């Protein structure tokens, strides 16, 4: 091989155009259409050909065109305005500065395996990445001091095309990183800054790229450097590609390498946020660094680290949960865990549901949960299900008390709204509507939008969608080398006046992409109603190894080739952010029909709603919270099914019924001026209800208040004074675990105060009248522990036919006095009986310490009449 010396060629911008490069390299332009308009003015054809990449555009445009623009006063004025707008944005006061003290400004490091900022930075696959991208954008808008940490994939996710049989094919295109809106992080010497991560028998080097996302920074690690072997250069080769060994290498680089990269840049995070379990190894490295830097034991460093870690869990589908075999963990961490000062069994237990099960694999979500102070799900239903699925990590804790909260996902409004709708909101809601998107009172003004303007705006977006779809279809047909007559038919596909349904998402069995095809003849009749036609646009990818998902796509394609529906059903290949933007803006109905309760949240319907598109979905994920009868449609009810096949039949029929009896008639019922007034009313109600709630500004404010600020406060508190509090807290936990087996609820006495005096509750006939007060005294043996180290509680609530308390609540009991026996103490409490029916009450004991993030942090709980230690 010849010796090759590489170098980078930069565009030669005339001095008056220098700010174009400044604007191109801050992805603030991705949610500001006036900036995109500036790039289109440079060269609209090249803008499209560059994949909407301004850096590539500026490197491709001719020098003569640049010289002409440098003398174009109109363009220069527009450039000046854009530059001033960006500078003003970067320097203006922010929400975070107003509501949080600047004296305690934390640094939040947000780790994610993918980030969907824009199609020109293809380091995302689907919803997880899009959410992460919107997370960064809202963090920028709100001024939250957050940095993103991810990987720069050489090939990103695959590009999709379909063969003549409708079977998905994958193509992996190399990313031209030197023509993307990212820059290498360099040392003062100008050389790239690199970090090194230990792998079995060698160290793997990574360089760091930085993308500016408004005020926020996104750092991406890249192992494709000459210092690495060819195999190690492939560590960041592709997103979700390869085998389990490549996956563990990537996640080591993301977690351990990501934290090292921050340290190399002088960034010390206060809070580390793991977006899904892929980044779980970060928490191990954070512990190791504290042990090394501060001379702490593993338990001490764990307590300090846990206080500043938060974890967001997403999918509950097993295929989406990362776990690694014991053999892989031994190979990659056999020389790592000794640095933590723990043995192999202790190390593997960190990633196991059952710590003593030697055959259980190492689960990344379990590791992240155990090493975080707060864990959250991404919708209310998902939080509830997560508490049930992962509840065994807290033995003996009632499901409703499992410490997993929920913060429902959202979308970054300015990234997904059409330029036309944005202009409409600006006129009627105010020029800074996006800054106040969470203000529900502002959205009451949506009624001020004239029906004709809202409908005309929506129709323009639909027309743009149809032009886009026909162009994409034409390219698909030409690639397949089909007949000229079929090429001509493309111009007849889709009708701008027809009710248009959009269905676009990852194709996996539980999302049921082919549910509409359950009764093909009924669907054909709906589509081809001569007076009230309906059309459907599909898009989405299946995982390369998911044969079932690919077969769903194939069935849709084969159905769409039937002569009677050719003009009514289309499948657009290679679903990405660009296609998603056009779809959510232009369809009339957004269809989502996952098999409940498997959708963690979903956000595509939120993107559609802000554009006036109505949602039709099963009551799963976010739609359980977003649905209102006057703002969309619910498919089925909030019910669980044992027979999935029967569920599919019932819910497909429900969709047909909604279309035939409600949606289609509503859409085609027109006033004298040809406006669907009732439909428009529903559009407005959907916008009013959904937009102020389901956005990432609300989501990030909630993360800040419920996760970031509390975690930062705990981190600062525990790590102050040379880590003395963290050390003391770890010592207290160790001592509590040692004495816990000695605890016992020795006696419980219940008395009833009904207004006629007090009497002991008769255990043979335990009846009392409504309004009575139940007084409870409990004798608890604590051994050498102090009464102020425990919380003794009266847990009560309605009971089911099995005598189990359901959705119970706890009342703290007060310390009364010591008993005659050493180490035993009386506690007293009472409850008012305000509801009739069968109720239950039980005394329980929990550890208590001012530094605990939640009462179940130790996993210790002692119930009345249970042997001590069994619940530990």
């Amino acid at each position: 091989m010849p010796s090759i010396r590489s170098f980078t060629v930069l565009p030669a911008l005339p001095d008056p155009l220098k700010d174009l490069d400044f604007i191109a390299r801050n992805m603030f332009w991705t949610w500001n259409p006036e900036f995109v308009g500036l790039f289109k003015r440079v060269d609209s054809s090249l803008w499209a050909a560059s994949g909407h990449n301004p850096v590539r555009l500026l490197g491709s445009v001719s020098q003569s065109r640049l010289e002409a623009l440098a003398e174009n006063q109109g363009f220069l004025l527009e450039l000046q305005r854009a530059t001033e707008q960006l500078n003003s944005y970067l320097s203006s006061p922010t929400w975070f500065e107003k509501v949080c003290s600047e004296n305690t400004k934390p640094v939040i490091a947000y780790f994610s395996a993918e980030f969907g900022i824009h199609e020109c930075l293809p380091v995302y696959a689907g919803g997880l990445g899009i959410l992460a991208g919107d997370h960064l954008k809202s963090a920028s808008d709100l001024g939250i001091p957050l940095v993103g940490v991810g990987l720069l994939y050489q090939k990103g996710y695959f590009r999709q095309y379909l063969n003549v049989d409708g079977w998905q094919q994958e193509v992996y295109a190399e990313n031209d990183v030197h023509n993307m809106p990212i820059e290498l992080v360099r040392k003062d010497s100008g050389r790239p800054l690199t970090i090194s991560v230990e792998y079995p028998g060698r160290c793997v080097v990574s360089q760091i790229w930085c993308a500016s996302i408004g005020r926020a920074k996104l750092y991406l690690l890249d192992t494709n450097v000459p210092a690495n072997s060819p195999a190690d250069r492939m560590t960041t080769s592709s997103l979700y590609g390869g085998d389990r060994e490549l996956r563990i290498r990537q996640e080591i680089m993301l977690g351990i390498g990501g934290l090292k990269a921050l340290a190399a840049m002088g960034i010390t995070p206060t809070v580390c946020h793991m977006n899904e379990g892929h980044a779980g190894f970060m928490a191990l490295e954070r512990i190791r660094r504290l042990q090394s830097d501060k001379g702490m034991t593993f338990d001490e460093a764990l307590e300090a680290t846990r206080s500043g870690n938060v974890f967001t869990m997403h999918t509950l589908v097993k295929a989406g949960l990362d776990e690694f075999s014991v053999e892989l963990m031994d190979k990659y961490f056999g020389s790592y865990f000794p640095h933590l000062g723990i043995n192999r069994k202790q190390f593997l237990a960190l990633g196991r549901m059952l710590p003593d099960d030697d055959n259980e694999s190492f689960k990344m979500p379990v590791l992240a949960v155990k090493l975080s102070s707060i864990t959250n799900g991404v919708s209310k239903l998902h939080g509830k299900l997560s508490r049930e699925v992962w509840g065994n990590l807290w033995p003996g804790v009632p499901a409703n008390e499992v410490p997993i909260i929920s913060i429902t996902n959202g979308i970054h409004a300015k990234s997904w709204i059409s330029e036309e709708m944005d202009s409409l909101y600006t006129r009627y809601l105010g020029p800074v509507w996006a800054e106040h998107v969470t203000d529900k009172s502002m959205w009451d003004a949506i009624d001020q939008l004239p029906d004709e303007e809202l409908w005309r705006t929506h129709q323009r977006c639909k027309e743009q969608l149809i032009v886009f779809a026909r162009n994409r279809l034409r390219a698909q047909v030409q690639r397949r080398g089909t007949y000229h007559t079929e090429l001509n038919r493309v111009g007849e596909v889709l009708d701008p006046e027809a009710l248009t349904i959009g269905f676009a998402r990852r194709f996996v069995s539980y999302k049921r992409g082919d549910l509409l095809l359950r009764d093909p003849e009924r669907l054909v009749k709906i589509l081809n109603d001569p007076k009230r036609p309906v059309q459907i646009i599909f898009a989405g990818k299946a995982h390369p190894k998911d044969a079932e998902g690919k077969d769903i796509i194939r069935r849709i394609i084969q159905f769409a080739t039937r002569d009677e529906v050719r003009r009514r059903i289309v499948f657009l290949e290679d679903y990405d952010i660009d296609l998603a933007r056009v779809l959510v803006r232009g369809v009339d109905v957004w269809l989502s029909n996952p098999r409940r309760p498997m959708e963690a949240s979903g956000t595509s319907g939120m993107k559609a709603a802000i554009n006036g598109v109505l949602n039709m979905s099963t009551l799963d994920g976010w739609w359980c919270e977003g649905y209102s009868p006057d703002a969309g449609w619910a498919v089925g009810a909030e019910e669980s099914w044992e027979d999935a096949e029967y569920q599919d039949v019932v819910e497909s029929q429900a969709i047909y019924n909604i279309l035939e009896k409600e949606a289609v008639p509503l859409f085609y019922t027109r006033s004298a001026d040809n406006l669907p007034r009732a439909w428009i009313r529903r559009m407005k109600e959907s916008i009013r209800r959904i937009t102020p709630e389901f956005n990432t500004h609300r989501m990030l404010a909630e993360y800040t208040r419920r996760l970031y600020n509390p975690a930062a406060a705990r981190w600062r508190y525990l790590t102050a004074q040379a880590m003395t509090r963290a050390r003391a807290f770890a010592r207290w936990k160790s001592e509590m675990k040692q004495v816990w087996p000695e605890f016992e609820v020795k006696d419980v006495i219940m008395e009833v105060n009904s207004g006629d005096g007090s009497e002991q509750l008769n255990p043979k006939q335990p009846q009392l009248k409504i309004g009575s007060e139940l007084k409870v005294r409990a004798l608890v043996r604590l051994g050498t522990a102090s009464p102020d180290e425990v919380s003794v509680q009266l847990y009560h609530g309605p009971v089911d036919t099995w005598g189990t308390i359901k959705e119970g609540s706890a009342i703290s009991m007060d310390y009364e006095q010591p008993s005659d026996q050493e180490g035993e103490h009386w506690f007293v409490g009472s409850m008012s009986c305000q509801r009739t029916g069968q109720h239950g009450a039980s005394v329980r004991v929990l550890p208590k310490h001012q530094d605990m993030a939640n009462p179940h942090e130790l996993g210790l709980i002692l119930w009345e009449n249970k042997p001590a230690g069994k619940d530990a």
Side-chain angles (χ1 to χ4, degrees), residues 623-752:
W623 192 232
C624 295
E625 303 161 54
Y627 168 66
S628 172
D630 52 357
W633 293 277
V635 177
E638 294 181 301
E639 53 192 332
S640 299
W641 301 76
E642 294 184 4
D643 187 337
E645 176 69 19
Y646 183 62
Q647 178 183 6
D648 290 353
V649 171
V650 170
E651 293 183 344
S652 64
Q653 294 296 318
I655 295 175
Y656 299 141
N657 289 336
I658 292 172
L659 288 172
E660 291 169 340
K661 298 176 182 178
E662 295 188 41
V664 174
L666 192 71
F667 181 84
Y668 284 103
T669 300
R670 305 297 172 101
S671 58
D673 52 5
N674 198 34
L675 289 176
R677 299 280 182 179
W679 184 278
I680 295 170
R681 278 199 302 274
R682 192 168 286 219
M683 288 173 66
K684 290 181 177 180
E685 191 60 28
S686 171
I687 294 168
R688 186 209 318 274
R689 287 178 176 271
I690 293 173
T691 302
E693 181 68 22
F694 298 96
N695 62 78
T696 43
H697 277 33
R698 185 274 311 157
M699 185 186 86
L700 261 294
E702 203 170 341
Y703 271 110
T704 299
R705 293 188 176 108
R706 300 180 66 187
L707 270 68
Y708 297 156
N709 284 348
R714 277 194 301 275
W715 168 264
R716 284 190 292 265
Y717 175 80
L718 286 180
T719 58
Q721 300 176 1
M723 302 284 177
T724 53
R725 292 194 181 101
R727 297 178 198 272
F729 188 32
R731 185 166 56 252
W732 175 82
K733 277 191 170 183
S734 177
E735 292 169 353
M736 181 57 65
K737 289 177 181 177
Q738 289 177 5
V739 301
W740 191 260
E742 303 173 13
F743 289 13
E744 183 182 359
V745 179
K746 297 277 292 183
D747 193 14
V748 175
I749 300 172
M750 292 189 176
E751 295 180 347
V752 182

Side-chain angles (χ1 to χ4, degrees), residues 434-654:
E435 296 178 20
H436 305 286
V437 66
T438 60
D439 182 358
K440 295 182 180 180
S441 63
M442 180 190 73
W443 290 98
D444 289 338
I446 203 75
D447 286 333
Q448 296 175 14
L449 271 65
D451 287 357
E452 54 273 21
E453 279 200 63
L454 178 57
W455 188 247
R456 190 164 58 243
T457 299
H458 175 66
Q459 282 299 104
R460 280 201 299 272
C461 294
K462 184 194 280 190
E463 289 161 5
Q464 292 169 10
L465 165 61
I466 290 175
V467 169
F468 180 96
R470 287 174 179 171
N471 290 337
R472 180 69 70 97
L473 281 171
R474 187 172 288 106
Q476 292 175 196
V477 169
Q478 288 174 330
R479 181 190 48 74
R480 294 189 193 123
T482 188
Y483 298 109
H484 187 69
T485 52
E486 187 173 349
L487 197 59
N488 290 337
R489 287 178 181 171
V490 170
E492 302 172 357
V493 167
L494 303 177
D495 176 1
E497 300 299 324
L499 173 61
T500 304
I501 299 172
F503 184 100
R505 58 202 10 92
R506 183 164 54 94
F507 275 84
V508 64
S509 59
Y510 80 85
K511 292 181 184 282
R512 301 188 296 182
D514 57 347
L515 189 63
L516 270 175
L517 274 57
R518 294 290 306 202
D519 188 341
E521 300 314 314
R522 188 174 181 187
L523 177 59
V524 169
K525 187 177 179 182
I526 292 171
L527 297 176
N528 287 327
D529 186 312
K531 294 183 179 179
R532 304 186 305 187
V534 176
Q535 56 199 16
I536 309 171
I537 302 176
F538 287 96
K541 299 175 178 179
H543 189 279
K545 296 180 181 178
D546 185 0
E548 189 175 0
K550 289 183 176 182
D551 195 51
I552 293 173
I553 295 175
R554 182 189 60 81
R555 289 198 293 271
I556 293 171
I557 297 297
Q558 292 187 347
F559 180 78
T561 59
R562 291 173 53 165
D563 287 337
E564 64 267 41
V565 297
R566 279 180 180 271
R567 296 175 58 237
R568 301 294 183 206
I569 293 186
V570 298
F571 190 103
L572 302 181
E573 297 175 0
D574 203 27
Y575 186 46
D576 65 357
I577 290 177
D578 185 31
L579 174 51
R581 272 197 308 266
V582 181
L583 272 176
V584 298
R585 295 168 177 177
V587 297
D588 299 302
V589 172
W590 193 259
L591 177 64
S592 178
N593 43 235
R595 183 175 288 119
R596 178 186 164 96
M598 301 183 74
E599 185 78 278
S601 176
T603 58
S604 58
M606 305 174 193
K607 302 176 180 97
I610 196 173
N611 287 289
V613 176
L614 300 182
N615 276 272
M616 182 186 300
S617 175
T618 48
L619 287 168
D620 199 9
W622 80 279
W623 192 232
C624 295
E625 303 161 54
Y627 168 66
S628 172
D630 52 357
W633 293 277
V635 177
E638 294 181 301
E639 53 192 332
S640 299
W641 301 76
E642 294 184 4
D643 187 337
E645 176 69 19
Y646 183 62
Q647 178 183 6
D648 290 353
V649 171
V650 170
E651 293 183 344
S652 64
Q653 294 296 318

Side-chain angles (χ1 to χ4, degrees), residues 373 394-395 397-398 400-405 714 729 732-733 736 740 789-793 810 812 844-862 871:
S373 61
W394 297 271
V397 175
N400 64 310
E401 290 189 15
V402 168
I404 299 175
I405 66 172
R714 277 194 301 275
F729 188 32
W732 175 82
K733 277 191 170 183
M736 181 57 65
W740 191 260
E789 292 182 287
V790 298
S791 174
V792 179
Q793 300 174 344
S812 293
R844 67 182 188 181
V845 183
L846 296 167
K848 185 176 70 174
H849 192 280
Q850 63 179 359
D851 295 339
M852 291 175 66
N854 66 76
H856 302 298
E857 188 176 323
L858 272 75
L860 301 174
I861 184 169
L862 173 68
D871 296 309

Side-chain angles (χ1 to χ4, degrees), residues 107-115 117 121 123 136 146-153 182-186 193 206-213 215-222 253-254 257-268:
V107 176
I108 299 141
Y110 179 77
F111 291 76
S112 181
E114 49 175 304
F115 285 90
I117 309 294
L121 186 59
V123 291
L136 286 191
L146 182 146
V147 297
V149 181
L151 300 178
L152 181 64
Y153 302 100
I182 56 177
E183 296 180 274
L184 268 176
V185 177
R186 298 181 182 273
L193 178 67
S206 174
Q207 58 189 1
I208 308 161
W209 296 83
C210 177
S212 295
I213 318 296
R215 298 183 180 95
K217 299 293 185 184
L218 168 60
Y219 296 105
L220 302 170
L221 278 69
D222 171 21
M253 186 56 65
L254 172 62
L259 199 66
K260 285 190 170 188
L262 293 177
M265 292 183 289
I267 300 172
T268 303

